Amino acid sequence: MKKSDYSAGNIQVLDGLEAVRKRPAMYIGDVNLRGLHHLVYEVVDNAIDEALAGHCNDIQVSICEDGSIEVRDNGRGIPVGMHPEQQRPALEVVMTVLHAGGKFDDKTYKVSGGLHGVGLSCVNALSSRLHASVYRDGFLWEQEYQCGEPSYDMKKVRPLKKGEATGTTIRFWPDDSIFLECVYRYEIISKRLRELAYLNAKVRITLEDLRSDQQQRDEYYFEGGLSEFVEYLDESRTPIHDEVICFKDDEGTVEIAMRYNTGFSSNVLSFVNNIHTHEGGTHISGFRTALTRTLKSSAERNQLFKNFKGDLAGDDFREGLTAVLSVKVADPQFEGQTKTKLGNSEVMGQVQSIVGEKLGHWLEDHPKQLKLIVDKVVIAATARQAARQARALVQRKNAFASGGLPGKLADCASRKPEDCELYLVEGDSAGGSAKQARDRHFQAILPLRGKILNVEKARLDRVLQNEEIRNIITALGTGIATSEEDFDPDKLRYHKVLLMTDADVDGAHIRTLLLTFFYRHLCPLIENGRVFVALPPLYKAKQGKREQYCWSDEILQQTVKNMQDSSSGKVIIQRYKGLGEMNPRQLWDTTMDPETRQLKRVTIDDAVEADRIFSTLMGDQVEPRRRFIERNARYATLDI
């Protein structure tokens, strides 16, 4: 376009919900599975807001047989009277006008989650069809929409039956012209609903799948709320005191549940108006400050530090702590559009005050538990001091000084981190093959000998004594992310870290150990999308001079069928169980060539579930691991 061609006529004005349909990712994040399921959460959030206001205690979510979603609550029902400015029913306004809702003053809802007024209208805009039923004012009211537009005027259907509850039922069909996939995953929805039930004690949330091939039903109801949430999170850990410490202020705006366990990691989850703030914020800062100050003063008052001569850090007071912090804020200020970090400065003082007062009283009333917690703190502080020397061994003075790099590392020639990638390879044999196969300009190889330490069962000082782990940390150059002071993401030498292990049981175990290490001690690399799993092929099918690599049994079966259909020659199948079974050329073609390789980026979509899985699979408790294996045995394949 020429400069002179740009005029007022080029400025587009999108009316109503057209903007949402034109740029859906601006409102729900993306049009993949995450965005698809976000539609469900937006409708459920409206029901939860009714629960927070004290008008709803039962929410029912159904995945219907035709793939639609239905959400029903027993709240007050969306208003159906005429809107004084819009001169149409309030229900239609809520469904078709962005930023229309009852969440913009402090009268209808004291606090709310959702997308601040765009929730239901966004769901409507991104649905090929939506049906709203409202039970209120003595009648059942209905209206239907297509692609956000009303199909007909709101109808008064019938009087409510005697004893029939008020409330709202929303059923919607996601628009398959917008979403890349329109099939809902039961397990994804169930995780969020379970979380909401923990965060909102005594609210019953039911999920059922009515699809004929996968019918199931779960009901979530927790009298104890956050205390039961902590017990759920700690299922695979051994507590050092049985009672979950749980307290809240008189208004219920700050609520905390916490318990210490024998583990070495800290798992503190924070929520603002039921929204998971995984980046923390002022509420977490207030909690950490008050926790350290209160525990330290209680211990000093009881002379529990008299035999400890070292220094204490905030991390020492959080080792082995599982906690859930939930705050209700009338006007939350989130940093960025993703609502992952709270910025309200006044919340810090509120949290500090309630933790200092309530936790202080609990510790006074529980001297035995106080001693157990302080003993844990002292051991953590002692181990941290022992770890200083081990940490010094893996902190390089110069990120690019070859003298500080592990001897087994075959580094790449490029010094631009954004171009470089590091392969962590199982075994010296595969490592040797990978060194021959790689592109030396941008690919570095670090062979790993055997299985690294299970960091889930080890304190930091022992972790840093493990040679293979030290080599990984030294090669990466960032330091270890046990605390913000120790970790510098700007010093990362490779913007892609690839885990390349054999396609057998041992390889899977080594990959799990590596992922546990990265999750517990280098989690920012996962969060920033730097960690990948390289996928070597499982098979090679060969017929004469024709050969093809296959990454799954299904692909193999189709490949063999195609070969047999096109020729009568014998098809020879080779099963690759180890990387060492491939020569360097094959390894490059299948697993290392950026043009042809298959990678899986490691992400954390659900921090709660990720923590539980790692503690279940890699922790001390056998029984939760046995239950996990029994539940998931049907997904396993036998490889002999």
Side-chain angles (χ1 to χ4, degrees), residues 55-68:
H55 302 290
C56 168
N57 62 5
D58 189 79
I59 302 168
Q60 300 172 22
V61 181
S62 301
I63 306 175
C64 301
E65 193 167 2
D66 60 1
S68 63

Side-chain angles (χ1 to χ4, degrees), residues 431-487:
S433 183
K435 288 177 184 179
Q436 295 179 60
R438 68 179 175 139
D439 184 325
R440 296 170 183 270
H441 176 68
F442 68 95
Q443 290 178 324
I445 308 296
L446 179 61
L448 300 175
R449 185 179 58 213
K451 296 178 180 178
I452 71 165
L453 180 71
N454 179 5
V455 301
E456 192 72 18
K457 298 181 180 180
R459 197 173 260 111
L460 179 60
D461 57 329
R462 185 163 166 243
V463 169
L464 293 177
Q465 290 169 4
N466 182 271
E467 182 181 355
E468 302 305 311
I469 288 178
R470 287 207 310 267
N471 287 340
I472 294 172
I473 299 169
T474 304
L476 293 174
T478 59
I480 197 163
T482 48
S483 66
E484 293 180 3
E485 304 84 50
D486 295 332
F487 183 77

Side-chain angles (χ1 to χ4, degrees), residues 233-280:
L233 295 170
D234 264 1
E235 180 187 24
S236 302
R237 301 183 175 101
T238 304
I240 65 172
H241 55 93
D242 292 334
E243 181 183 349
V244 176
I245 308 170
C246 193
F247 47 84
K248 59 184 175 181
D249 61 1
D250 295 336
E251 293 77 28
T253 55
V254 177
E255 185 175 1
I256 297 164
M258 53 183 281
R259 185 168 64 182
Y260 282 89
N261 58 70
T262 58
F264 309 115
S265 59
S266 170
N267 184 26
V268 180
L269 301 179
S270 63
F271 297 85
V272 176
N273 300 354
N274 294 315
I275 299 166
H276 183 205
T277 47
H278 75 264
E279 289 185 281

Side-chain angles (χ1 to χ4, degrees), residues 567-637:
S567 173
S568 59
K570 184 179 180 181
V571 179
I572 300 172
I573 299 171
Q574 182 180 356
R575 168 69 164 96
Y576 291 118
K577 291 193 175 184
L579 298 168
E581 295 179 17
M582 285 184 276
N583 62 45
R585 184 69 210 180
Q586 290 173 326
L587 192 58
W588 167 257
D589 289 340
T590 62
T591 318
M592 301 185 72
D593 182 355
E595 297 296 323
T596 57
R597 69 187 178 188
Q598 294 193 22
L599 303 180
K600 277 189 178 180
R601 189 192 300 269
V602 180
T603 61
I604 305 173
D605 291 328
D606 187 338
V608 174
E609 196 61 22
D611 180 81
R612 287 190 75 250
I613 288 176
F614 277 113
S615 62
T616 297
L617 296 180
M618 311 304 290
D620 288 322
Q621 295 294 308
V622 175
E623 185 58 26
R625 184 156 51 247
R626 183 185 65 79
R627 290 199 298 268
F628 179 90
I629 292 171
E630 288 177 346
R631 285 197 306 269
N632 294 279
R634 66 182 186 276
Y635 302 116
T637 56

Side-chain angles (χ1 to χ4, degrees), residues 261-418:
N261 58 70
T262 58
F264 309 115
S265 59
S266 170
N267 184 26
V268 180
L269 301 179
S270 63
F271 297 85
V272 176
N273 300 354
N274 294 315
I275 299 166
H276 183 205
T277 47
H278 75 264
E279 289 185 281
T282 53
H283 53 327
I284 280 291
S285 298
F287 171 72
R288 288 178 173 176
T289 300
L291 176 73
T292 301
R293 183 183 301 157
T294 306
L295 272 173
K296 190 173 182 180
S297 61
S298 295
E300 289 173 343
R301 208 164 37 245
N302 289 273
Q303 298 185 329
L304 297 177
F305 287 142
K306 62 182 179 180
N307 295 323
F308 178 69
K309 305 302 181 185
D311 64 315
L312 294 164
D315 287 341
D316 302 329
F317 290 89
R318 295 191 293 274
E319 183 182 285
L321 174 67
T322 297
V324 180
L325 167 63
S326 177
V327 298
K328 305 294 192 297
V329 183
D331 185 22
Q333 304 299 317
F334 295 101
E335 295 184 10
Q337 294 184 344
T338 55
K339 294 184 179 182
T340 56
K341 189 172 184 179
L342 183 68
N344 298 61
S345 57
E346 74 278 2
V347 177
M348 182 185 296
Q350 294 171 1
V351 174
Q352 283 184 3
S353 176
I354 187 67
V355 173
E357 177 190 351
K358 301 288 187 179
L359 179 59
H361 290 161
W362 189 91
L363 294 172
E364 286 179 10
D365 296 337
H366 299 79
K368 291 183 179 179
Q369 287 85 342
L370 170 62
K371 187 177 186 310
L372 290 171
I373 294 171
V374 172
D375 287 345
K376 172 79 172 172
V377 172
V378 169
I379 293 172
T382 304
R384 179 176 51 81
Q385 292 170 24
R388 284 177 181 169
Q389 184 176 3
R391 185 185 294 113
L393 295 175
V394 297
Q395 288 178 328
R396 294 167 49 236
K397 294 180 180 179
N398 186 320
F400 301 122
S402 60
L405 294 173
K408 291 167 42 172
L409 173 69
D411 207 358
C412 54
S414 174
R415 290 295 178 262
K416 295 180 180 179
E418 61 272 20

